Amino acid sequence: MKINGRFVQRCLLEPPAASEDRMEMERLGDCSRMQIAEAEKAARATAKFAKKFEPLRRTILDPTGTFNASRMIADLWALEAVAMRIGQQSPEMSRLYSMLSLVEAKRGNHVDQLVLGERSLDIHAMNRALTDEEVFYLHHDLLAAAEKLKLPDNAVVHARGAVEWMDRVTSLDQLQRFGLRESLGYWLHEAGQFEAAKANNQTLLADAERALGSHDGALSGVLNNLAQNSYKLGELEAAGQYLSRCLEIAHLHKRVEREFDVLFQLGVLAQEQGDSERARRHFQQRLELAEREHDEDLYMQAVATLDELQSRAQADKNDRSSP
């Protein structure tokens, strides 16, 4: 039998198919072993993290407990390396940053509180690390931090987040829910989003009127905010109407400082509309209110406002009489 040399050469150069299959199986086996090893490593890190983190978390959340905040911060940060071994975007990282944010709030470090809390929420958005209630309270606490730091854009984000999640928290009553919605409207206004603020506040007013009645004292805040929204949008008549309703409710519920403030706003609005006499009447009402309340501070403010109005009126009169 004659042997084909070229066939032999080709067989020597090309390994049999069985060898290729065996190599592929070995490669897959190596990958599987690596994956198993990584999974076991992550599982050990997860167990280690939970063992150390949970006692710290219980201590922080215990309403009757006390702890050294500086030491707690150090203990929590020591767990970051463990959480990193599980994954930079792992649920453990979100929970860790959430607790760090809460402790920084207790220390009064609101910048760090805000940074850490927002980091926790960003990670949560990818893996649902926190419970619904934890998400709500984190937004609620970060809203308070943004308010203290006077950061309107951050406040809007967290007021909106608190409103979005508040229905999943059964412990909140109706007035607390209305208060959160009022806070969202306020911060939308402070962020310069006047149309959005007005839309939020109009819906809130309608809902509050249905639930509480048209003369409940709780309506005065949202009515005042609607007046501010309307004023910024150049809707002066609407602003005056909201202020008049707010004044009526403040008077009905004997909220003197609110009534005093609304009378000032009505006076300024009248002056801007060119009605100096109506402005004077509102400022005179402020003076009479301060006298009735025997409040010296309010009285001095009212006198100063009337004096300024009269000075401006006299200056305008002199300008008109000048050749």
Side-chain angles (χ1 to χ4, degrees):
M1 179 178 176
K2 188 176 181 180
I3 299 175
N4 188 323
R6 283 176 297 180
F7 173 77
V8 172
Q9 185 180 25
R10 187 167 66 250
C11 290
L12 292 173
L13 291 175
E14 297 177 4
S19 297
E20 293 180 356
D21 291 345
R22 187 162 52 252
M23 290 173 64
E24 179 64 15
M25 289 176 66
E26 289 175 356
R27 187 184 68 79
L28 291 173
D30 290 341
C31 289
S32 296
R33 283 190 289 274
M34 288 176 60
Q35 289 171 348
I36 291 170
E38 287 297 320
E40 289 175 347
K41 181 179 176 182
R44 287 194 298 271
T46 300
K48 181 179 180 180
F49 178 88
K51 183 178 179 180
K52 294 189 175 184
F53 175 74
E54 287 306 321
L56 299 177
R57 179 179 178 275
R58 285 194 297 270
T59 300
I60 294 167
L61 297 180
D62 183 354
T64 62
T66 59
F67 57 86
N68 182 295
S70 297
R71 188 177 304 161
M72 180 63 76
I73 285 288
D75 289 343
L76 287 170
W77 276 118
L79 286 175
E80 186 183 36
V82 181
M84 282 286 190
R85 287 200 290 273
I86 305 167
Q88 291 185 1
Q89 309 300 327
S90 65
E92 286 74 14
M93 292 299 297
S94 180
R95 297 185 190 115
L96 176 61
Y97 290 141
S98 175
M99 286 298 105
L100 280 164
S101 177
L102 184 55
V103 178
E104 291 293 9
K106 293 179 183 294
R107 299 173 79 196
N109 294 338
H110 300 300
V111 172
D112 290 341
Q113 176 195 358
L114 196 61
V115 170
L116 289 162
E118 291 183 343
R119 196 179 299 172
S120 173
L121 287 169
D122 287 344
I123 297 172
H124 166 80
M126 291 183 276
N127 58 33
R128 303 283 296 176
L130 308 175
T131 67
D132 290 352
E133 190 165 299
E134 286 172 334
V135 174
F136 166 77
Y137 280 112
L138 187 49
H139 276 300
H140 181 275
D141 292 345
L142 295 181
L143 169 59
E147 288 174 344
K148 289 183 175 69
L149 296 170
K150 296 180 172 56
L151 298 173
D153 291 335
N154 297 75
V156 166
V157 169
H158 297 300
R160 187 173 278 128
V163 169
E164 179 183 350
W165 291 88
M166 68 182 180
D167 288 338
R168 288 141 182 176
V169 180
T170 57
S171 59
L172 297 178
D173 62 31
Q174 188 178 62
L175 286 179
Q176 288 173 315
R177 295 171 198 273
F178 284 155
L180 285 169
R181 292 170 65 187
E182 185 177 321
S183 183
L184 173 57
Y186 173 82
W187 284 107
L188 284 167
H189 182 91
E190 290 298 300
Q193 300 181 45
F194 306 126
E195 288 284 4
K198 184 180 177 185
N200 175 86
N201 291 334
Q202 284 178 324
T203 303
L204 171 58
L205 178 61
D207 291 345
E209 285 176 327
R210 279 192 295 270
L212 307 173
S214 59
H215 288 83
D216 191 275
L219 300 182
S220 64
V222 69
L223 284 166
N224 186 72
N225 290 346
L226 276 164
Q228 301 302 318
N229 304 152
S230 299
Y231 178 82
K232 283 293 188 180
L233 293 168
E235 301 165 357
L236 302 189
E237 289 296 330
Q241 291 169 6
Y242 286 126
L243 286 173
S244 295
R245 275 200 66 193
C246 186
L247 180 64
E248 180 185 359
I249 290 173
H251 181 73
L252 179 65
H253 292 273
K254 302 187 185 310
R255 297 186 175 179
V256 174
E257 290 192 1
R258 172 78 75 182
E259 190 176 354
F260 190 78
D261 179 63
V262 172
L263 283 168
F264 176 79
Q265 293 184 66
L266 282 167
V268 171
L269 189 61
Q271 185 70 14
E272 290 193 9
Q273 291 174 304
D275 192 339
S276 298
E277 179 55 31
R278 182 156 56 92
R280 189 197 65 77
R281 288 199 302 271
H282 288 309
F283 293 149
Q284 182 64 38
Q285 285 178 275
R286 290 176 88 231
L287 182 60
E288 293 167 0
L289 176 61
E291 289 174 336
R292 284 198 309 273
E293 295 297 319
H294 305 289
D295 189 313
E296 186 175 351
D297 288 339
L298 294 184
Y299 179 81
M300 296 304 296
Q301 291 179 49
V303 168
T305 303
L306 267 173
D307 287 347
E308 184 179 352
L309 179 67
Q310 290 170 355
S311 296
R312 289 186 179 184
Q314 186 61 48
D316 290 344
K317 184 177 178 181
N318 294 339
D319 288 343
R320 288 193 297 270
S321 62
S322 298

